[in-house]
Amino acid sequence: MTPVKLSVVPSRVGACVELFSGLGGLAIGLDRAGWSHELLVERDPQAVATLRSNDLTRDWPLHDSDLRDLDFKSEVKGDIDLLAAGVPCQPFSQAGAHAGPDDERNMFPETFAAIRQLKPKAVLIENVRGLARPAFTPFVEYIVDHLQLPGLARKKDEEWPDHHERLRKALKRRPKDPVERYVVEWRPICVADYGVPQRRVRVIMVAIRADLAERWSWPEPTHCHEVLLLDQLDGFYWAEHGLPSRSPILAPFTRKRVRRVIRPTPVGRWRTLRDALRGLPDPVPQEETPALNWHTLWPGARLYRGHRGSDLDKPSKTIKAGVHGVAGGEHIVHLDSDEYRYLTVRECMRVQDLPDELEIDTTRTAAIRQIGNAVPPTIGEVFGRAIAQAVCEKPRAKVKVPRAKAGARLKAAA
């Protein structure tokens, strides 16, 4: 089944500043959605090198040192419509130290300082699934309340719980000027529900200025698991890949649920790892593929209890920033021959939905770190288009994003 396509957005919709840009995944997606990048902020030298060496990203203004050293008034001219931020995830990652707001790498305070300076019409924040854990619920509530009223700054030496109490009191008074407050929505999403071939769950937060909030609607999923299973049961998926039909092993209740999907469905099927790797030649050990860098087979893949690789006919496991021994075997693929191997760096880029023309000139370890930390461009495009509807000066026609039927997809965390 052909993936559902989003409708065309006018070439340029508004001005955008992006913090913590990494190698540019979110920025590429926002560019596709029509946003003009007035400034990108990234201090990691290897990510900066990637941004400056690629035709896709080299022309965007870049601040390549610490965000705390940046004076937005001198760097950015004119009004900013969107502030986007892939806020560093290490303080909230399940694989990290779980220090959360007390971690010195917590950059939410700097993000709020940028919002106060730029006063954008909208804010888009991406972070790891771990941010939604119960342990961080009080801090997430604080983030949401601060996004609603970013102008109320935290005092010097004030602890965030004390600042949160002041925010709550101020929000109860409800500022009269709608330009001073924002309407906030947030939720975990599975990127596979938007056409990325990966079961990657991320927290997305969107803040829209209150006077524009009525135009905002959360983008509905464009792809779903049940349609993939239905296409596999009916043979369409296998025919698309030139393979003999094979029936997936499903529990009876799952098979009944899948059979309730009505054709033609308004959403596409989840994209699989096999879809992502289509067109790539088999990698050769220690030998680059002509005209396609980083497609070299790396030896030594191992499987053991609790560390299984990705199935070709499902979306990949989450691509992470580690290289060897990543928990869950996320960078390993099971082949049709029943053998398994590491995914190449280029294949990891495909799974992250990064374009083939994007080149990374560094070590393998550094390349995987950049790729694992990236935001899939499709997510930036989907949310960039939806936000554009809300914050453009003149209301535009609704972006026609197909809506999934109630109960027509699995839970993102499944």
Side-chain angles (χ1 to χ4, degrees):
M1 179 177 290
T2 303
V4 176
K5 294 183 178 180
L6 298 171
S7 60
V8 176
V9 168
S11 57
R12 296 293 94 180
V13 295
C16 173
V17 167
E18 184 180 321
L19 314 179
F20 321 112
S21 297
L23 59 67
L26 179 58
I28 291 169
L30 291 173
D31 181 71
R32 291 174 184 170
W35 290 95
S36 297
H37 292 293
E38 301 302 313
L39 185 66
L40 269 61
V41 181
E42 177 54 58
R43 72 175 185 175
D44 177 72
Q46 291 157 335
V48 167
T50 299
L51 289 169
R52 285 185 167 154
S53 63
N54 279 273
D55 291 339
L56 287 168
T57 57
R58 73 169 77 243
D59 294 330
W60 296 332
L62 175 64
H63 176 81
D64 62 357
S65 60
D66 198 304
L67 172 60
R68 289 165 285 204
D69 300 330
L70 174 60
D71 178 10
F72 283 102
K73 292 182 179 179
S74 63
E75 294 281 353
V76 179
K77 307 301 180 184
D79 295 334
I80 295 301
D81 300 297
L82 173 63
L83 176 71
V87 181
C89 63
Q90 292 88 348
F92 310 100
S93 173
Q94 291 179 329
H98 309 176
D102 299 322
D103 194 308
E104 63 181 10
R105 297 168 296 179
N106 172 28
M107 295 298 286
F108 274 103
E110 285 67 33
T111 302
F112 287 119
I115 296 171
R116 282 192 293 276
Q117 289 190 59
L118 294 170
K119 296 179 172 60
K121 295 177 181 176
V123 179
L124 171 64
I125 292 175
E126 182 265 0
N127 211 274
V128 290
R129 177 185 192 173
L131 184 63
R133 281 183 289 169
F136 295 137
T137 296
F139 187 65
V140 171
E141 292 174 349
Y142 167 63
I143 293 172
V144 170
D145 287 345
H146 202 176
L147 279 173
Q148 290 185 74
L149 201 61
L152 184 60
R154 185 173 166 180
K155 297 177 182 178
K156 185 178 180 180
D157 299 327
E158 183 180 31
E159 298 294 332
W160 70 263
D162 297 327
H163 183 218
H164 193 192
E165 187 61 31
R166 287 201 298 124
L167 283 167
R168 284 173 168 166
K169 291 178 180 178
L171 287 168
K172 286 181 180 179
R173 294 194 296 269
R174 195 174 179 84
K176 294 181 180 180
D177 187 352
V179 175
E180 295 181 1
R181 56 188 172 84
Y182 292 74
V183 174
V184 181
E185 282 195 53
W186 76 276
R187 65 187 71 169
I189 66 163
C190 180
V191 301
D193 290 339
Y194 295 93
V196 180
Q198 183 181 179
R199 287 169 287 170
R200 184 185 191 92
V201 178
R202 287 297 184 266
V203 168
I204 299 291
M205 295 181 171
V206 177
I208 303 290
R209 210 171 66 190
D211 60 318
L212 303 170
E214 289 185 0
R215 299 188 203 167
W216 161 255
S217 60
W218 193 274
E220 294 286 348
T222 55
H223 298 67
C224 87
H225 189 185
E226 281 81 356
V227 177
L228 169 63
L229 296 177
L230 184 62
D231 277 5
Q232 290 175 342
L233 285 170
D234 290 345
F236 298 132
Y237 172 85
W238 310 109
E240 183 180 326
H241 286 283
L243 297 170
S245 290
R246 60 186 84 165
S247 182
I249 300 173
L250 304 176
F253 73 93
T254 302
R255 187 177 292 266
K256 288 180 180 178
R257 185 178 68 240
V258 168
R259 285 299 183 192
R260 286 198 294 268
V261 176
I262 300 173
R263 293 188 184 277
T265 175
V267 296
R269 63 168 173 81
W270 270 5
R271 293 178 60 221
T272 66
L273 182 53
R274 193 186 296 275
D275 292 325
L277 305 189
R278 184 184 295 183
L280 289 177
D282 291 335
V284 178
Q286 307 301 317
E287 184 177 320
E288 285 285 6
T289 301
L292 193 66
N293 69 345
W294 283 119
H295 190 50
T296 304
L297 182 61
W298 198 268
R302 291 187 303 152
L303 298 178
Y304 46 98
R305 182 177 297 178
H307 292 67
R308 305 292 298 174
S310 293
D311 189 318
L312 272 170
D313 299 307
K314 298 177 182 177
S316 168
K317 291 186 173 184
T318 301
I319 296 298
K320 296 181 179 177
V323 179
H324 295 300
V326 175
E330 285 83 354
H331 298 172
I332 291 176
V333 55
H334 286 271
L335 305 174
D336 289 325
S337 62
D338 288 333
E339 297 178 329
Y340 54 88
R341 62 169 175 80
Y342 280 122
L343 290 167
T344 69
V345 174
R346 177 58 53 182
E347 289 170 334
C348 289
M349 292 179 71
R350 283 282 188 95
V351 172
Q352 277 282 61
D353 214 22
L354 294 165
D356 282 346
E357 56 266 38
L358 187 70
E359 297 184 359
I360 304 176
D361 186 13
T362 184
T363 64
R364 180 173 181 268
T365 299
I368 288 292
R369 185 173 66 249
Q370 290 183 56
I371 295 164
N373 286 330
V375 179
T378 296
I379 300 305
E381 183 177 5
V382 167
F383 282 86
R385 288 172 182 255
I387 291 171
Q389 290 179 182
V391 305
C392 289
E393 291 185 6
K394 295 180 180 179
R396 301 182 185 275
K398 288 278 187 179
V399 174
K400 295 180 179 178
V401 180
R403 292 179 175 272
K405 292 182 179 296
R409 65 187 180 93
L410 297 181
K411 294 290 186 181

Coordinates of all heavy atoms in Angstrom, one line a residue, residues 1-4 192 195 222-229 231-232 236-237 240-241 265 267-272 275 278:
M1 N 0.8 -1.2 0.0 CA 0.0 0.0 0.0 C 0.9 1.2 0.0 O 1.9 1.3 0.7 CB -0.9 0.0 1.2 CG -1.8 1.2 1.3 SD -3.0 1.1 2.7 CE -4.0 -0.2 2.1
T2 N 0.5 2.2 -0.8 CA 1.3 3.4 -0.9 C 1.1 4.3 0.3 O 0.0 4.5 0.8 CB 0.9 4.3 -2.2 OG1 1.0 3.5 -3.3 CG2 1.7 5.5 -2.3
P3 N 2.2 4.8 1.0 CA 2.0 5.6 2.1 C 1.2 6.8 1.9 O 1.2 7.4 0.8 CB 3.5 6.0 2.5 CG 4.3 5.0 1.9 CD 3.6 4.5 0.6
V4 N 0.4 7.2 2.8 CA -0.5 8.4 2.7 C 0.4 9.7 2.6 O 1.4 9.8 3.4 CB -1.4 8.5 3.9 CG1 -2.2 9.8 3.8 CG2 -2.3 7.3 4.0
A192 N 6.1 5.5 14.3 CA 5.6 4.6 13.3 C 4.2 5.0 12.8 O 3.8 4.8 11.7 CB 5.6 3.2 13.8
G195 N 4.4 7.2 9.8 CA 5.1 6.8 8.6 C 6.6 6.6 8.7 O 7.3 6.3 7.7
T222 N -1.2 9.0 10.6 CA -1.4 8.7 9.1 C -1.1 7.2 8.8 O -1.4 6.8 7.6 CB -0.4 9.6 8.3 OG1 0.9 9.4 8.8 CG2 -0.8 11.1 8.5
H223 N -0.6 6.4 9.7 CA -0.3 5.0 9.5 C -0.7 4.2 10.7 O -0.7 4.8 11.8 CB 1.2 4.9 9.2 CG 1.7 5.6 8.0 ND1 1.7 7.0 7.9 CD2 2.2 5.1 6.8 CE1 2.2 7.3 6.7 NE2 2.5 6.2 6.1
C224 N -1.0 2.9 10.5 CA -1.3 2.1 11.7 C -0.9 0.7 11.6 O -0.7 0.2 10.5 CB -2.8 2.3 12.0 SG -3.9 1.1 11.2
H225 N -0.8 0.0 12.7 CA -0.3 -1.3 12.8 C -1.2 -2.3 12.2 O -0.8 -3.2 11.5 CB 0.0 -1.6 14.3 CG 0.7 -3.0 14.5 ND1 0.9 -3.5 15.8 CD2 1.2 -3.9 13.7 CE1 1.5 -4.6 15.7 NE2 1.7 -4.9 14.4
E226 N -2.5 -2.1 12.5 CA -3.5 -3.1 12.0 C -3.5 -3.2 10.5 O -3.7 -4.3 9.9 CB -4.9 -2.7 12.5 CG -5.2 -3.2 14.0 CD -4.6 -2.2 15.0 OE1 -3.9 -1.2 14.6 OE2 -4.8 -2.4 16.2
V227 N -3.3 -2.1 9.8 CA -3.3 -2.1 8.3 C -2.1 -2.9 7.8 O -2.2 -3.6 6.8 CB -3.3 -0.7 7.8 CG1 -3.3 -0.7 6.2 CG2 -4.6 0.1 8.2
L228 N -0.9 -2.7 8.5 CA 0.2 -3.6 8.1 C -0.1 -5.0 8.3 O 0.1 -5.8 7.4 CB 1.4 -3.2 9.0 CG 2.6 -4.2 8.9 CD1 3.2 -4.2 7.5 CD2 3.7 -3.8 9.9
L229 N -0.7 -5.4 9.4 CA -1.1 -6.8 9.6 C -2.1 -7.3 8.6 O -2.0 -8.4 8.1 CB -1.6 -7.0 11.0 CG -0.6 -6.8 12.2 CD1 -1.3 -6.9 13.5 CD2 0.6 -7.7 12.1
D231 N -2.5 -6.1 5.5 CA -1.8 -6.3 4.2 C -0.9 -7.5 4.2 O -0.8 -8.2 3.1 CB -0.9 -5.1 4.0 CG -1.6 -3.9 3.4 OD1 -2.9 -4.0 3.3 OD2 -1.0 -2.9 3.0
Q232 N -0.4 -7.9 5.3 CA 0.4 -9.2 5.4 C -0.5 -10.4 5.3 O -0.2 -11.4 4.6 CB 1.3 -9.2 6.6 CG 2.4 -8.2 6.6 CD 3.2 -8.1 7.9 OE1 2.8 -8.5 8.9 NE2 4.4 -7.5 7.8
F236 N -0.8 -8.5 0.2 CA -0.4 -7.3 -0.5 C 1.0 -6.9 -0.2 O 1.8 -6.5 -1.1 CB -1.4 -6.2 -0.3 CG -2.8 -6.4 -0.7 CD1 -3.8 -6.2 0.2 CD2 -3.1 -7.0 -1.9 CE1 -5.2 -6.4 -0.2 CE2 -4.4 -7.2 -2.3 CZ -5.4 -6.9 -1.5
Y237 N 1.3 -7.0 1.1 CA 2.7 -6.6 1.5 C 3.7 -7.5 0.9 O 4.8 -7.0 0.4 CB 2.8 -6.7 3.1 CG 4.1 -6.5 3.6 CD1 4.6 -5.2 3.9 CD2 5.0 -7.6 3.9 CE1 5.9 -5.0 4.4 CE2 6.2 -7.4 4.5 CZ 6.7 -6.1 4.7 OH 7.9 -5.9 5.2
E240 N 4.2 -6.8 -2.8 CA 4.9 -5.5 -3.0 C 6.4 -5.7 -2.9 O 7.1 -5.0 -3.7 CB 4.4 -4.5 -1.9 CG 5.0 -3.1 -2.0 CD 4.5 -2.2 -0.9 OE1 3.4 -2.4 -0.5 OE2 5.3 -1.3 -0.5
H241 N 6.9 -6.6 -2.1 CA 8.3 -6.9 -2.0 C 8.8 -8.0 -2.9 O 9.9 -8.5 -2.8 CB 8.7 -7.1 -0.6 CG 8.6 -5.8 0.3 ND1 9.6 -4.9 0.2 CD2 7.7 -5.4 1.2 CE1 9.4 -3.9 1.1 NE2 8.2 -4.2 1.6
T265 N -9.0 1.8 3.8 CA -8.8 2.5 5.1 C -8.3 3.9 4.8 O -7.5 4.1 3.8 CB -7.8 1.7 6.0 OG1 -7.6 2.5 7.1 CG2 -6.5 1.5 5.3
V267 N -6.0 5.4 6.4 CA -4.6 5.5 6.8 C -3.8 4.5 6.1 O -4.3 3.4 5.7 CB -4.5 5.4 8.4 CG1 -5.2 6.6 9.1 CG2 -5.0 4.1 8.9
G268 N -2.5 4.7 6.0 CA -1.6 3.8 5.5 C -1.1 2.8 6.5 O -1.4 2.9 7.7
R269 N -0.3 1.8 6.0 CA 0.2 0.8 7.0 C 1.5 1.3 7.6 O 2.2 2.1 7.0 CB 0.4 -0.5 6.2 CG 1.5 -0.5 5.1 CD 1.8 -1.9 4.7 NE 2.7 -1.8 3.5 CZ 4.0 -1.6 3.5 NH1 4.6 -1.4 4.7 NH2 4.7 -1.7 2.4
W270 N 1.8 0.8 8.8 CA 3.1 1.0 9.3 C 4.2 0.6 8.3 O 4.0 -0.4 7.6 CB 3.3 0.1 10.6 CG 2.9 0.8 11.8 CD1 2.3 2.0 12.0 CD2 3.1 0.2 13.1 NE1 2.1 2.2 13.4 CE2 2.6 1.1 14.1 CE3 3.6 -1.0 13.6 CZ2 2.6 0.9 15.4 CZ3 3.7 -1.2 15.0 CH2 3.1 -0.3 15.9
R271 N 5.2 1.4 8.2 CA 6.3 1.0 7.3 C 7.3 0.1 8.1 O 7.5 0.3 9.3 CB 7.1 2.3 6.8 CG 6.2 3.1 5.9 CD 6.9 4.4 5.4 NE 8.2 4.0 4.7 CZ 9.3 4.7 4.9 NH1 9.4 5.7 5.8 NH2 10.4 4.3 4.2
T272 N 7.9 -0.8 7.4 CA 8.7 -1.8 8.1 C 10.2 -1.6 7.8 O 10.6 -0.8 7.0 CB 8.3 -3.2 7.6 OG1 8.7 -3.3 6.2 CG2 6.9 -3.5 7.8
D275 N 10.9 -2.2 4.3 CA 10.5 -1.0 3.5 C 11.7 0.0 3.5 O 12.1 0.6 2.5 CB 9.3 -0.3 4.0 CG 8.0 -1.1 3.8 OD1 7.9 -1.8 2.8 OD2 7.1 -1.0 4.7
R278 N 14.8 -0.9 1.4 CA 14.5 -1.2 0.0 C 15.5 -0.3 -0.9 O 15.7 0.8 -0.7 CB 13.1 -0.9 -0.4 CG 12.8 -1.2 -1.8 CD 11.3 -0.8 -2.2 NE 10.4 -1.5 -1.4 CZ 9.0 -1.4 -1.6 NH1 8.6 -0.5 -2.5 NH2 8.2 -2.1 -0.9

